[in-house]
Amino acid sequence: MKFRCERDILADAVGSASRAATHRTGTLPVLSGVRMGVIGDSLTITGTDLELTIRLSIEVGGERDGAAVVPARLVADIIKALPSGAVEIDLAEGDSGAEMSISAGRSQFSVRPLSLDDYPVQAEPAGDAVTLPAADMAEALRQVVRAASTDDARAVLTGVLLASEDEGLRMVATDSYRLAVRDLPDSSVLSSGQKVLIPGRALNELQRLMGGEETLTVRLGEREATFEAGSTRLSTRLIEGEFPNYRNLLPSSYPNLLTVSKSAMVEAIRRVKILAQDSTPVRMTLGGDTVQLSAITQDVGNAVEEIDASYDGTEMTVAFNPDYLLAGIDAIDADDVTLATMDPMKPAVLRGVGQDDYLYLLMPVRVP
């Protein structure tokens, strides 16, 4: 195998595929590598940990076809460190076995490849292909995936639920402290009544990989989901288990409604949050034509800020985890946001003014 490629293009491709390679001990050593295969002027790079697989193809100046598995992190670091310009990679047999040389300018490295025969064979994706606008899917993932749990102890909460609804596709994620729901009207990758649970980690990677692509092709098999954007393919195993009945968390009405500028609220929370140390919540005092935000940390200090707002409801003080609150507001694509509540101990719902396709539900924090 021998080819040439611009450093930045090669570094991006290897780095992306490397994100699916495993660095955990106790797994197959070959899974810590990426497979690089050249046919003609096409280089295909694959990384997998058997749960998640990322495969990319890029154009190169191919001189000799071939394939090799090389340590993912090591090769990615080498390529990034090379001077800008063309990089030449040459896999050849030496006296002591195969070696891959990586060179650019006056820099030259050699790396011992891993066992090509031990690398998992990649099957072709199953399921019918459905094409969606990539921009719509990227925005929905940005809003929803942030609410998925990262705690593997509750595997179903690390996933994002895709469910078929009468109006189209619904995406839901929760870590039991917050809940994000996004509807994609007139979009469907599922049959009527069908639902699947896709790992949040995989969908996070998908956001990175979609880039400026116009369309996203989705295939759903019995145990695996595959997404294709341009020359990039991501495959992931589906999560088995029953997603919580999130509908029970959504009250039918909210008697108290706060409307406030998104940018003003974000800036105020970030300032007050400086004093919200050691899991200290940010308190919101609701009433009148302003909202007061405060944080009180014992033996450290306190912060208070007041911003203009519109409030219709009973005067009250409600407290939230500031990071979760910021994440919810940041996910909304609107100039003004609403926060709807029943009382200080019931979940509150964030929405964008005039936007009914997305909601972010947040559990309050009990304060003295």
Side-chain angles (χ1 to χ4, degrees), residues 293-337:
L293 290 89
S294 60
I296 304 170
T297 303
Q298 194 71 25
D299 300 327
V300 175
N302 63 77
V304 179
E305 182 157 346
E306 197 170 87
I307 57 176
D308 293 334
S310 172
Y311 182 67
D312 182 15
T314 305
E315 292 188 4
M316 69 175 74
T317 297
V318 60
F320 300 103
N321 176 307
D323 293 323
Y324 291 170
L325 180 59
L326 273 175
I329 297 173
D330 176 70
I332 294 170
D333 186 19
D335 292 335
D336 296 320
V337 299

Side-chain angles (χ1 to χ4, degrees), residues 63-106:
E63 295 186 30
R64 187 171 64 248
D65 292 356
V69 178
V70 292
R73 184 175 293 174
L74 177 63
V75 170
D77 288 345
I78 289 173
I79 294 171
K80 285 191 295 184
L82 291 173
S84 61
V87 175
E88 182 174 285
I89 291 186
D90 185 2
L91 177 71
E93 290 289 337
D95 294 338
S96 57
E99 281 195 352
M100 175 181 280
S101 69
I102 306 171
S103 59
R106 296 183 177 182

Side-chain angles (χ1 to χ4, degrees), residues 38-273:
V38 174
I39 299 177
D41 289 333
S42 177
L43 168 67
T44 300
I45 307 173
T46 305
T48 185
D49 63 359
L50 301 181
E51 298 288 334
L52 172 68
T53 300
I54 297 175
R55 192 186 80 176
L56 306 92
S57 295
I58 58 174
E59 290 187 6
V60 298
E63 295 186 30
R64 187 171 64 248
D65 292 356
V69 178
V70 292
R73 184 175 293 174
L74 177 63
V75 170
D77 288 345
I78 289 173
I79 294 171
K80 285 191 295 184
L82 291 173
S84 61
V87 175
E88 182 174 285
I89 291 186
D90 185 2
L91 177 71
E93 290 289 337
D95 294 338
S96 57
E99 281 195 352
M100 175 181 280
S101 69
I102 306 171
S103 59
R106 296 183 177 182
S107 300
Q108 184 165 339
F109 294 81
S110 65
V111 175
R112 287 291 182 91
L114 304 171
S115 172
L116 181 62
D117 292 338
D118 291 341
Y119 202 77
V121 176
Q122 302 302 308
E124 286 302 305
D128 296 331
V130 178
T131 301
L132 302 172
D136 292 349
M137 192 65 169
E139 176 65 5
L141 292 175
R142 183 188 74 83
Q143 293 178 315
V144 173
V145 176
R146 65 185 62 209
S149 175
T150 57
D151 183 1
D152 291 334
R154 300 184 68 185
V156 294
L157 297 187
T158 65
V160 173
L161 179 71
L162 270 63
S164 174
E165 299 284 331
D166 292 340
E167 299 79 13
L169 178 68
R170 171 167 287 185
M171 303 173 64
V172 187
T174 182
D175 60 3
S176 76
Y177 299 103
R178 51 193 174 154
L179 169 77
V181 181
R182 171 66 194 269
D183 290 322
L184 288 169
D186 304 320
S187 296
S188 181
V189 297
L190 305 168
S191 57
S192 179
Q194 185 184 7
K195 56 184 179 181
V196 295
L197 196 53
I198 299 177
R201 175 198 170 203
L203 295 179
N204 255 328
E205 296 301 333
L206 181 61
Q207 292 181 74
R208 302 174 190 269
L209 297 171
M210 278 195 282
E213 298 294 336
E214 293 185 359
T215 60
L216 176 71
T217 300
V218 183
R219 289 182 174 87
L220 294 175
E222 290 186 6
R223 298 179 179 274
E224 189 174 73
T226 301
F227 304 87
E228 295 181 12
S231 59
T232 300
R233 175 189 292 174
L234 180 149
S235 299
T236 180
R237 288 186 183 177
L238 300 177
I239 297 175
E240 296 182 2
E242 190 66 26
F243 195 76
N245 185 359
Y246 67 92
R247 298 179 192 273
N248 290 341
L249 297 174
L250 303 175
S252 57
S253 64
Y254 292 91
N256 308 298
L257 185 68
L258 171 75
T259 304
V260 66
S261 162
K262 173 184 172 179
S263 59
M265 181 66 107
V266 167
E267 291 171 4
I269 295 171
R270 285 176 176 163
R271 284 191 286 267
V272 172
K273 179 176 175 287

